Amino acid sequence: FNRLRRRSWWQAPFWGSVAASVLDTAIFFGLAFAGTGDAWLHLAAGDLGVKLVMAAALLPPYRLLVRRLLG
């Protein structure tokens, strides 16, 4: 994470969100649908897609907030 913070401002929060979203989705759907036989992969893919879109869409407001708080 520290290596990413030294690069462009958006890389650390974006890749941190991606990693957390993948892990969260895998754990939740893996546990919630374990042993049910339901086809949950499409649900998990949709959930992950929404999380990734939100991670990208919230970067500009995050940048503005950080600038305002630190600047």
Side-chain angles (χ1 to χ4, degrees):
F1 193 78
N2 281 331
R3 267 189 285 159
L4 289 174
R5 287 190 335 175
R6 286 186 226 123
R7 295 182 184 178
S8 186
W9 68 268
W10 60 270
Q11 288 190 12
F14 178 74
W15 291 113
S17 292
V18 168
S21 295
V22 168
L23 187 62
D24 175 67
T25 300
I27 290 171
F28 174 78
F29 282 92
L31 292 174
F33 291 95
T36 64
D38 292 339
W40 55 270
L41 289 177
H42 284 78
L43 294 172
D47 180 72
L48 181 59
V50 169
K51 289 177 184 175
L52 297 179
V53 167
M54 292 303 295
L58 292 173
L59 279 174
Y62 170 75
R63 178 64 168 175
L64 293 172
L65 180 65
V66 169
R67 277 188 181 171
R68 181 169 262 200
L69 290 174
L70 299 178

